[in-house]
Amino acid sequence: MNLFNQNNTYNYELEKLCRIFLPFEKIIFTEQPTESDVYAHTRLTKSDSRTQLYSFLKFYTQTAEFVDFVENDAEDYYKECERVLAIQLFKCFVAVTGYVSPWGILTGVRPAKLYSALCKKGGKNYARSFFKEKFLVSDKKIELCEKTYEREGEITSQSEKDSFSLYVSIPFCPTRCSYCSFVSHSVEMAKKLIPEYLEKLIDEIVITAQIARTNNLKLRSVYIGGGTPTTLSAEQLERLMKVISENFDIEGKEYTVEAGRPDTITEEKLRVIKENGATRISINPQTMNDEVLNVIGRKHTSDDTVNAFLLARKLGFDNINMDLIAGLPSDTFESFCGTVERVTALKPDSVTVHSLALKRASNLNSENIPRFESGVTASKMVDFAYDFLSQHGITPYYMYRQSKTVGNNENVGYATAFKESFYNVYIMDETHTILACGASAVTKLRQPGGSYIERIFNYKYPYEYINNFNEILSRKDRITAFYDEYRI
Ligand code: SF4
């Protein structure tokens, strides 16, 4: 797609707007009108008292255009012009594709946070009409924002100035899912690194605990995620979890292990997880349609998921989450509904519904890349999940959005009462510091009593993590320096 923004500097925002409709298209900025199959032109023309805003879109054989005016003395003139051009382009896309994105022109990651800020500024009605009229957000998504922001608020209010959560990364999986951009291509090669990786990880955890003690930080929650942590053997898991319980005060704290793929779950591993302090696990079917599982490269069946879930219940896990994905290749609306119904029948404590995000590094090639039809279907899927789960007492409590999702939808955590994942809320809301260990982990330092955030990145891949371990440890010095600087 060619995009010509004339007399304005809104490239960043208008590109994001186009990505709502064309998430996988290369967008080229041009310095003059340069026609292509998909071509947009925006123009800002300022006269004495007002500014004319113009947008034009050519989409293969169809075209659409809009003209509006903004007074030159309008409040927040620069932002207002940007918003109006975004609305114009949005309407152009709707006119030629017929697809009305439910989030309107909102492209941010945390709509509930923005909604909450508007509520604080002018109350609920103000926030509601702002979302509806200024951003063209649908009523259903506004309702979702309201529900999540209220429930998130109850959780974040329990965090204190010296709170932190611990994240531990196990970036290994038995095989690679076709839509994954996270783990390295050579899963088999990577697995050979597990023993060495674990040694380094344990060292990092011990040092991180010392740093937490030095800074008088109080643990709130623990999350072992991945990848698939249950790729580790039962012995490896036990060693890892013992190091965590010996070095951190996990007593009475939320402690999640993302068991993840059912093909890695065994009774022995579940026992280890339970006996070593985990209070919550996640068993992630993604879909209960075996054909779709095959298409996305997951080597387990829906029955494996059911068996893993029932086994976990038998062993006493009373807080089990299940992850689903809307918009998977080859999945249909009917099949997705079947997935939601079958998962709900198991009575999980929480369900997280992700919208498929297609990243460049995934194995899905351009032929698999969904276009509008799949976007419309994915939107119907997430709406169905919202309605069905809510009817069954599994209601939304946190939400975030990612770029390049099929249908420009959101990811929503649903939970029954008192079974929310606090960690998920803390990380998304950036409520408090997250001390993170392992490859691809990112420590986020939050200023106590303030809003400044600083990040410390670990190396992404296990081999990089192992080879640069001393560098990773030296970066951790910044944690104490940060608290010295910002402690109240
Ligand atoms: S389980 Fe998750 S991290 Fe592992 S390959 Fe699949 S999508 Fe990637």
Side-chain angles (χ1 to χ4, degrees), residues 167-172 182 223-229 256-258:
Y167 178 78
V168 176
S169 166
I170 306 293
F172 301 98
F182 178 63
Y223 197 102
I224 304 182
T228 305
T256 301
V257 176
E258 200 178 347

Side-chain angles (χ1 to χ4, degrees), residues 172-173 175-177 179-183 226-228 261 286 298:
F172 301 98
C173 288
T175 57
R176 181 179 155 102
C177 306
Y179 55 85
C180 181
S181 63
F182 178 63
V183 295
T228 305
R261 292 166 50 152
Q286 314 302 17
R298 285 173 73 108

Side-chain angles (χ1 to χ4, degrees), residues 24-49:
F24 316 111
E25 186 98 11
K26 187 163 189 216
I27 295 177
I28 301 165
F29 294 106
T30 63
E31 298 295 324
Q32 56 195 14
T34 313
E35 290 237 353
S36 55
D37 282 346
V38 183
Y39 161 69
H41 176 194
T42 69
R43 187 179 61 223
L44 189 149
T45 314
K46 201 165 180 177
S47 62
D48 285 347
S49 63

Side-chain angles (χ1 to χ4, degrees), residues 442-482:
V442 181
T443 288
K444 268 193 203 177
L445 302 171
R446 164 106 192 208
Q447 175 191 10
S451 57
Y452 175 66
I453 304 268
E454 198 170 303
R455 291 174 171 76
I456 304 172
F457 293 88
N458 282 6
Y459 283 84
K460 184 171 179 193
Y461 295 110
Y463 74 89
E464 294 176 308
Y465 176 81
I466 292 167
N467 293 341
N468 298 284
F469 191 62
N470 288 338
E471 161 71 16
I472 285 170
L473 292 190
S474 71
R475 287 181 189 177
K476 287 205 139 39
D477 291 345
R478 179 61 198 147
I479 301 172
T480 301
F482 178 89

